Amino acid sequence: MALLEVKDLRVSVGEEVIVRDASLRVESGEIVDLVGPNGSGKSTLARAIMGSEGYEVEGEIRFKGEEISDLPMHERARRGLTLCWQEPARFDGLTVGEYVMAGCEEEEWARRCLRMVGLDPDEYWERECGEGLSGGERKRVELAAVMAMRPELVILDEPDAGLDMSSLEDLARLIEWMREQGSSVLLITHSRDLAEEVGDRAYLMLDGRIVEEGDPEEIVYKCRICGGDLVCGAE
Amino acid sequence: MRGGVSEEEVFGPAGYHADPDAPRVVVLENRVVNVREREGLVIEAEEREDGVRAELVVREGVRLEEPVHFCVGVPWEEGVQRIETRVVVESGARVTLLSHCSFPRAEDVLHEMVAEFVVEDGAELEVRDVHYHGERGVRLRAEYELEVGEGGRLSSEFRLTRGRVGELEWVSRGVVRREGSLESVVRVMARGEDVVDVEESVRLVGEDAGAVLDSRSAAIDGARVRFVGEISGEAPGARGHVECSEIIRGDGRVESVPKLRVVDPDARLTHEAALGTLERREIEALMSRGLSEEEAVELLVEAMLRG
C-alpha cells in the first residue's frame, strides 16, 4: 500500500480546470520529485492534496489507504500529511516559537528543528514571525515548523524558492534528514540539481497533467526539452 | 455570600497569580473578603447591598514597587455587582494596579463599575485590567473618569481575550494637564452574540500634554464591536494619537471611529485605523499543522491582540 496515492484527480476553480486526471503515488520512505513548467498545476495539485479551500476536487486521494478527499485540512494533517507552503504567510504577532509549536508537542524537538534550518532558537524563539523576520528567515521557519510535526509525508512546494540557505547542498541534506527522521517527501522544485540530488523517482507535469514518471535525471531532461524552466542550483 | 469559594478558583481564569502577602483588595459579589494595605497605601472598602465601594490612596511621594491587586468577581451563575471605586495617586507617588475581574460561571450576571482615577502632579499610575467572563459572558457597564495632573502619567490596559464577552458598554473620559500623559490600550475578542461598545475620550487641556488611545479587537461569528476613540487637543504642544485595528471573521461587524478635535492650532493629533479579515493562507498554514479552523483563528487573533 502506497503512503500517498492520488488517482485521476481533477482540480478546478469555477469553470477553469487546473489539474486533469493526475495520478501519482509516494511510497513510505521515498523522496519523489514533481517537476514541470511554471503554471503547469504543481502547486494547485499540492494544495488540493492537502485540502486547501476554494478548489473543486474530483478523483481519489488515499493516504495510508484511507480516502481523505472529504476530510478537512487539519484532519489530514493529524493523520501525518503536511505541506510546506511555497510562500509562507507573515503571521503578524505570532512568535516563531508559537508557530513552530503549532503542530508539535515537544519544545526541545522544535528547537532542534530550528537549529537544523540554521536558526538559533535562543535568538529566534520569541521573535515575531511578521516584522521580525526576513523573507528567507520566514521560509526557514516554515521548514522547521513542518519538520517539528514529524509528518509521515511532507509536500515541499518549492522549498528552494526565496530560501537564503548558503547552498543547495544544505537543502538537500535537510531533505535527506527529514527522510532519516521518518518523513517521506513529495518535492516540487524548479531546481534540477535538487531534483536529481535527492529524488528517488520523479513525475513530470505539463499543462495540468502528469505525463511522465521515471528516474529523476530522465524526467528533468524531459522537462527541459518540453520547455520546463528548470534551473541549475537553487532558485 | 453563598457558600465558600477560593480566590484562586474565581480569579485564576483572569490571570490572578498574586503573592499571598501582596497588597490587595478582593471583592466577591458584595463582600470584601481580603484587604491588605502597605505603608503609604490606604484602602477603604465599604460593603453595600449589591456591591462595594472602595477607595485606594497612595500617599504623596510613596512609590510602591509591588503591584496592588484589585480583584472583583461573582463566583455564581447569577448576580448583580456594582463596584464604585476611587483611586488617588498623590503627588510624586507611583503604583501599579493589577485588576482581575472574573465571572467564571456567569450565565446572568450584571457587573457595573463606576471608577475615578486621579493621578496628581508628577504621579504615576499603571493599571492592568484583565477580565474573564466565562463561556457565556456577562453584562458589563463601566464608566471611568480619569484625571492626570501636571507631569503625571496614567497608563491603562484592558484585556478581555479569553472566553466570551457578553455585553460590554464602556465609557471613559479623561483630562490631561500640562506635560501629563495618558495611554489606554484596549484588547477585546468578541464572538457569537457578544456586543462590545467602547467610547473613550481624552481632553488634552495642558501645554505639551499627550495621549494615545490604542484599540485592537476581533469580531468573530456574528459579534458586534464598536470603538470610538476621541482626543481633543486644547493646548499648545498637545500631542495625541488614536489607533484602531480590528479583525472581522465570519459575519462579525465592526465600527471603528477615531475622532480628533483640534482646539489649539499648536496641537498635533493623528490617527490610524485598520479593518481587515484574517488571511486565509495564515489559517490554512496552521490547519496544515493539525489545528482546527477554530483553533487556528483563536491563535491568530490572540497573537494580534497581544501587541
Side-chain angles (χ1 to χ4, degrees):
Chain A
M1 179 178 64
L3 181 62
L4 174 72
E5 185 152 29
V6 174
K7 271 190 188 167
D8 304 326
L9 207 70
R10 180 185 171 92
V11 185
S12 49
V13 177
E15 297 293 305
E16 188 186 2
V17 179
I18 301 168
V19 175
R20 300 159 196 273
D21 309 322
S23 296
L24 62 78
R25 69 191 154 77
V26 179
E27 303 289 344
S28 187
E30 263 193 319
I31 298 174
V32 177
D33 301 328
L34 178 60
V35 297
N38 273 331
S40 58
K42 304 181 300 296
S43 291
T44 299
L45 177 58
R47 289 174 195 161
I49 293 170
M50 195 64 231
S52 198
E53 196 181 74
Y55 298 115
E56 193 174 319
V57 178
E58 296 168 51
E60 281 183 30
I61 306 170
R62 291 191 172 274
F63 185 62
K64 295 188 283 187
E66 180 188 10
E67 171 58 65
I68 60 169
S69 299
D70 292 332
L71 292 179
M73 185 182 284
H74 69 282
E75 290 293 349
R76 300 181 197 204
R78 287 174 187 178
R79 283 161 171 74
L81 171 66
T82 196
L83 170 63
C84 183
W85 300 77
Q86 186 182 347
E87 292 173 7
R90 283 177 55 90
F91 302 106
D92 284 319
L94 212 62
T95 64
V96 168
E98 285 173 319
Y99 185 57
V100 176
M101 287 296 290
C104 171
E105 291 175 351
E106 310 155 64
E107 184 175 325
E108 207 37 58
W109 171 249
R111 286 175 174 272
R112 187 176 171 202
C113 292
L114 278 172
R115 276 193 290 273
M116 287 303 295
V117 298
L119 299 177
D120 178 358
D122 293 337
E123 185 186 340
Y124 281 86
W125 195 258
E126 295 296 334
R127 208 182 269 194
E128 262 200 42
C129 291
E131 290 183 356
L133 299 179
S134 67
E137 287 171 328
R138 212 169 285 142
K139 189 88 181 194
R140 291 184 195 215
V141 169
E142 176 70 10
L143 279 164
V146 160
M147 286 152 49
M149 277 183 74
R150 298 183 189 270
E152 288 180 67
L153 174 64
V154 55
I155 305 169
L156 296 176
D157 190 358
E158 296 194 32
D160 44 321
L163 189 67
D164 59 355
M165 278 190 153
S166 57
S167 69
L168 193 68
E169 286 72 29
D170 288 343
L171 184 55
R173 269 196 294 274
L174 193 69
I175 294 171
E176 284 292 356
W177 184 77
M178 287 182 185
R179 169 154 55 187
E180 286 165 20
Q181 301 307 312
S183 298
S184 305
V185 176
L186 177 60
L187 171 64
I188 298 171
T189 183
H190 281 279
S191 164
R192 84 183 203 214
D193 290 344
L194 186 62
E196 290 175 357
E197 174 78 22
V198 300
D200 299 316
R201 282 189 300 119
Y203 290 99
L204 172 60
M205 196 162 185
L206 291 175
D207 198 21
R209 297 175 195 275
I210 290 182
V211 294
E212 286 274 351
E213 175 195 352
D215 177 77
E217 286 185 20
E218 172 198 343
I219 293 297
V220 162
Y221 173 73
K222 285 186 176 171
C223 181
R224 293 181 72 202
I225 61 175
C226 291
D229 43 3
L230 295 188
V231 295
C232 290
E235 197 178 13
Chain B
M1 194 176 69
R2 295 163 280 186
V5 61
S6 71
E7 288 178 25
E8 184 61 36
E9 189 185 342
V10 180
F11 298 111
Y16 178 63
H17 305 294
D19 172 345
D21 297 324
R24 68 177 72 181
V25 188
V26 180
V27 176
L28 285 178
E29 213 166 26
N30 66 336
R31 299 290 301 275
V32 180
V33 297
N34 199 339
V35 173
R36 195 178 293 272
E37 296 181 317
R38 279 288 182 277
E39 192 174 342
L41 168 68
V42 180
I43 300 174
E44 286 180 11
E46 171 197 340
E47 294 177 0
R48 293 176 171 179
E49 191 179 335
D50 57 359
V52 164
R53 183 186 181 284
E55 179 160 330
L56 289 78
V57 179
V58 184
R59 292 295 184 209
E60 185 176 339
V62 173
R63 301 182 74 81
L64 289 172
E65 295 300 323
E66 292 173 285
V68 177
H69 293 259
F70 184 62
C71 310
V72 299
V74 175
W76 323 115
E77 289 83 358
E78 300 173 355
V80 175
Q81 185 183 55
R82 292 190 170 87
I83 304 291
E84 195 181 316
T85 186
R86 184 164 190 266
V87 176
V88 180
V89 189
E90 294 183 348
S91 296
R94 175 193 188 284
V95 68
T96 297
L97 199 61
L98 301 182
S99 176
H100 312 272
C101 299
S102 193
F103 312 90
R105 300 175 194 159
E107 290 186 8
D108 184 13
V109 169
L110 170 65
H111 171 73
E112 287 186 350
M113 167 72 85
V114 177
E116 183 183 2
F117 292 165
V118 179
V119 180
E120 294 186 351
D121 296 350
E124 291 175 43
L125 171 61
E126 181 181 350
V127 182
R128 279 185 263 153
D129 189 7
V130 180
H131 279 235
Y132 178 68
H133 294 182
E135 296 307 314
R136 302 284 293 272
V138 307
R139 281 171 291 143
L140 166 60
R141 297 196 181 110
E143 200 173 328
Y144 287 83
E145 296 288 342
L146 315 173
E147 188 177 334
V148 182
E150 294 189 2
R153 182 174 166 270
L154 169 56
S155 160
S156 79
E157 182 180 297
F158 172 80
R159 285 186 180 272
L160 176 43
T161 58
R162 294 183 52 214
R164 294 290 295 270
V165 175
E167 293 175 21
L168 169 63
E169 279 180 50
W170 173 290
V171 178
S172 166
R173 289 176 287 266
V175 176
V176 184
R177 307 197 188 286
R178 188 171 65 88
E179 294 181 1
S181 72
L182 187 156
E183 180 184 10
S184 170
V185 171
V186 174
R187 301 286 183 263
V188 179
M189 172 150 38
R191 284 178 267 222
E193 303 296 310
D194 292 344
V195 179
V196 174
D197 192 344
V198 175
E199 286 188 17
E200 291 189 285
S201 63
V202 180
R203 291 177 55 215
L204 302 174
V205 300
E207 207 170 313
D208 296 326
V212 175
L213 303 179
D214 174 1
S215 139
R216 287 189 199 178
S217 59
I220 298 170
D221 298 337
R224 283 178 290 151
V225 172
R226 176 174 172 269
F227 174 81
V228 180
E230 177 176 3
I231 298 182
S232 172
E234 303 177 19
R239 296 285 182 270
H241 181 68
V242 181
E243 186 161 334
C244 319
S245 181
E246 266 69 47
I247 287 283
I248 305 162
R249 168 95 183 140
D251 52 355
R253 295 281 178 275
V254 167
E255 185 182 353
S256 189
V257 188
K259 291 167 80 172
L260 306 176
R261 200 163 68 93
V262 177
V263 176
D264 189 286
D266 289 333
R268 180 178 164 78
L269 308 180
T270 55
H271 74 82
E272 191 174 332
L275 292 179
T277 56
L278 293 173
E279 275 196 49
R280 183 68 202 169
R281 64 183 188 142
E282 290 188 346
I283 296 169
E284 287 202 339
L286 291 169
M287 290 177 72
S288 71
R289 303 290 117 81
L291 273 65
S292 69
E293 184 158 349
E294 293 72 25
E295 290 167 337
V297 167
E298 187 144 338
L299 183 59
L300 290 169
V301 170
E302 275 181 11
M304 190 275 277
L305 294 179
R306 191 165 43 215

